[in-house]
């Protein structure tokens, strides 16, 4: 199958070509992101491979469909950037990679926790300047602390297992209770109880209408003073302005994020020689107790291999008319619940 691959970096090409070697699909790589303005590049391609920040909205899909595209192969888990109803109306199949780096993401979340707690990022810069003072580098033992995990799918479970190894108590919230988390001592509670009793809160749920701005002014007010909030899931789970106010008041003591609700114009690009126009993001970077990474939690060798293998397998299944377990379709969401990621 001829496939137009958008938003490609050198590492995408390396791993996709390796995965495609046995199948021999015709992969054509494009650096630009997919949008209504670039969709014409895929004219004549039955399949399009898109990434997390590509705009697969109604207008883009209509252009793609009018030029012969019948398959959108997402090389990511999230699909909130895809208009699934329009895709179905146009006869376009959408497939994704549902899980590719649960250990990588969970381990990155732990890295953010440790770095924020022990001020490792600040200590690194001090030592490079010849400053060996320990002032303002005081941390706390993780042992005995309570970690609240929102979303207990594969990533949330792995985070729970790691934090249990540190001797932490585990609270959890999810519409689906994971028996494996309960087996290691995780206690499922409602969100207000989790907010009130956690020392660290880590987000591992998808972005839906119900979870949009899950961490907002009301939620922050219910948390312990000095709470640590970690987000390696979806940027818009957090109301950034509310979090900034929480940081300013001291209600939030630490913030570690690998995602940001307006990240699409920032992340995955080298903007080191440019003036970043996002004033909210720039303000966040001024806080000494905030640690931001650029959507790299998934970025491991194992993850890129899994993403590529699954993406090529999905394309092959659709090409050969086989059922694909990773197909996604528009469906109504039920209730105000958090679904495991």
């Amino acid at each position: 199958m001829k496939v137009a691959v958008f938003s490609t970096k050198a590492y995408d090409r390396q791993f996709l070509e390796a995965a495609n070697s046995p199948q021999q699909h015709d992969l054509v790589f494009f650096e630009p992101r997919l949008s209504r303005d670039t969709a014409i590049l895929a004219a004549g391609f039955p399949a399009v491979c898109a990434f997390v920040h590509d705009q697969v909205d109604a207008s883009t899909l209509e252009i793609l469909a009018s030029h012969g595209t019948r398959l959108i192969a997402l090389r990511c888990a999230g699909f909130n950037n895809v208009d699934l109803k329009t895709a179905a109306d146009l006869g376009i199949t959408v497939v994704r990679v549902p899980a590719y780096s649960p250990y990588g993401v969970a381990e990155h979340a732990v890295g953010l926790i440790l770095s924020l707690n022990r001020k490792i990022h600040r200590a690194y810069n001090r030592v490079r300047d010849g400053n060996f003072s320990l002032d303002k580098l005081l941390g706390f033992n993780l042992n005995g602390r309570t970690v609240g995990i929102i979303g207990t799918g594969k990533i949330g479970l792995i985070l729970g297992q790691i934090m249990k190894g540190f001797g932490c108590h585990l609270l959890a919230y999810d519409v689906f209770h994971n028996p494996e988390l309960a087996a290691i001592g995780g206690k499922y509670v409602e969100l207000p109880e989790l907010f009130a009793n956690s020392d660290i809160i880590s987000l591992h749920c998808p972005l839906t209408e119900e979870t949009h701005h899950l961490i907002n002014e009301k939620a922050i007010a219910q948390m312990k003073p000095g709470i640590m909030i970690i987000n390696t899931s979806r940027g818009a789970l957090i109301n950034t302005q509310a979090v900034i106010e929480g940081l300013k008041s001291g209600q939030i003591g630490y913030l570690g994020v690998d995602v940001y609700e307006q990240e699409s114009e920032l992340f995955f690009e080298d903007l080191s020689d440019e003036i970043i126009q996002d004033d909210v993001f720039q303000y966040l970077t001024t806080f000494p107790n905030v640690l931001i990474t650029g959507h790299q939690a998934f970025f491991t060798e194992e993850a890129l291999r899994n993403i590529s293998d699954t993406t090529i397998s999905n394309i092959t299944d659709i090409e050969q008319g086989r059922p694909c377990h990773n197909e996604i379709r528009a469906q109504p969401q039920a209730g105000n619940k958090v679904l495991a990621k």
Side-chain angles (χ1 to χ4, degrees):
M1 186 178 286
K2 192 176 181 182
V3 184
V5 187
F6 284 85
S7 296
T8 55
K9 305 294 185 185
Y11 46 81
D12 294 309
R13 183 165 189 157
Q14 174 189 344
F15 283 89
L16 282 168
E17 286 182 338
N20 186 48
S21 181
Q23 301 298 335
Q24 293 297 303
H25 294 293
D26 183 7
L27 305 182
V28 179
F29 296 93
F30 297 99
E31 290 187 14
R33 292 177 182 172
L34 176 62
S35 68
R36 64 180 300 173
D37 297 324
T38 61
I40 192 63
L41 294 172
F45 287 79
V48 164
C49 182
F51 195 45
V52 65
H53 290 151
D54 289 324
Q55 298 173 16
V56 198
D57 54 14
S59 56
T60 301
L61 287 165
E62 287 166 1
I63 295 169
L64 292 173
S66 68
H67 289 90
T69 297
R70 291 295 176 262
L71 171 64
I72 303 292
L74 299 171
R75 58 183 193 278
C76 54
F79 52 89
N80 52 286
N81 58 328
V82 182
D83 187 330
L84 292 176
K85 183 179 184 305
T86 298
D89 291 343
L90 294 170
I92 296 177
T93 300
V94 182
V95 294
R96 66 168 180 150
V97 183
Y100 46 81
S101 187
Y103 286 96
V105 175
E107 290 167 6
H108 192 82
V110 176
L112 292 175
I113 292 170
L114 290 170
S115 295
L116 281 167
N117 175 25
R118 303 307 298 270
K119 290 45 169 205
I120 293 172
H121 55 305
R122 300 183 67 190
Y124 170 79
N125 288 327
R126 282 192 188 185
V127 169
R128 286 172 62 86
D129 289 336
N131 179 358
F132 304 101
S133 168
L134 299 183
D135 289 341
K136 300 182 181 180
L137 298 182
L138 187 66
F140 58 84
N141 288 350
L142 290 175
N143 184 272
R145 299 283 177 160
T146 298
V147 178
I149 304 172
I150 300 178
T152 56
K154 292 181 179 180
I155 298 172
L157 171 63
I158 293 167
L159 179 77
Q161 293 169 335
I162 296 171
M163 300 314 294
K164 187 68 174 180
F166 279 103
C168 295
H169 306 296
L170 304 178
L171 295 180
Y173 176 80
D174 201 317
V175 60
F176 300 113
H177 291 194
N178 190 333
E180 292 184 67
L181 186 70
I184 62 171
K187 179 184 178 184
Y188 280 92
V189 297
E190 293 303 310
L191 281 175
E193 184 175 347
L194 184 146
F195 291 151
N197 293 289
S198 298
D199 299 296
I200 300 166
I201 294 173
S202 193
L203 305 177
H204 300 284
C205 52
L207 178 63
T208 66
E209 290 183 7
E210 289 75 23
T211 62
H212 182 264
H213 286 181
L214 181 71
I215 304 301
N216 52 32
E217 184 179 0
K218 180 180 177 181
I220 293 167
Q222 298 175 60
M223 298 176 187
K224 286 185 178 182
I227 185 72
M228 179 187 292
I229 299 175
I230 303 294
N231 187 11
T232 55
S233 188
R234 295 289 181 268
L237 296 175
I238 287 178
N239 182 325
T240 308
Q241 195 58 54
V243 165
I244 286 175
E245 294 303 316
L247 288 162
K248 289 167 64 177
S249 71
Q251 178 70 2
I252 298 175
Y254 314 80
L255 176 68
V257 296
D258 185 57
V259 288
Y260 169 61
E261 58 181 327
Q262 302 298 330
E263 70 177 56
S264 62
E265 299 304 315
L266 300 173
F267 290 179
F268 304 117
E269 305 299 333
D270 181 359
L271 306 179
S272 56
D273 288 333
E274 299 183 25
I275 304 299
I276 293 176
Q277 301 298 313
D278 188 329
D279 293 341
V280 174
F281 181 84
Q282 290 292 74
Y283 190 24
L284 265 183
T285 65
T286 67
F287 289 90
N289 54 345
V290 171
L291 182 55
I292 304 171
T293 55
H295 209 130
Q296 72 177 80
F298 81 98
F299 197 60
T300 65
E301 293 179 8
E302 293 82 358
L304 290 182
R305 191 174 299 114
N306 290 339
I307 289 170
S308 299
D309 288 347
T310 304
T311 298
I312 296 301
S313 176
N314 288 343
I315 292 170
T316 302
D317 283 344
I318 299 302
E319 180 192 42
Q320 297 184 2
R322 297 194 297 256
C324 181
H325 298 299
N326 296 324
E327 181 178 350
I328 47 177
R329 299 173 181 171
Q331 57 184 350
Q333 296 175 10
N336 183 21
K337 298 293 185 179
V338 175
L339 303 179
K341 170 171 173 276

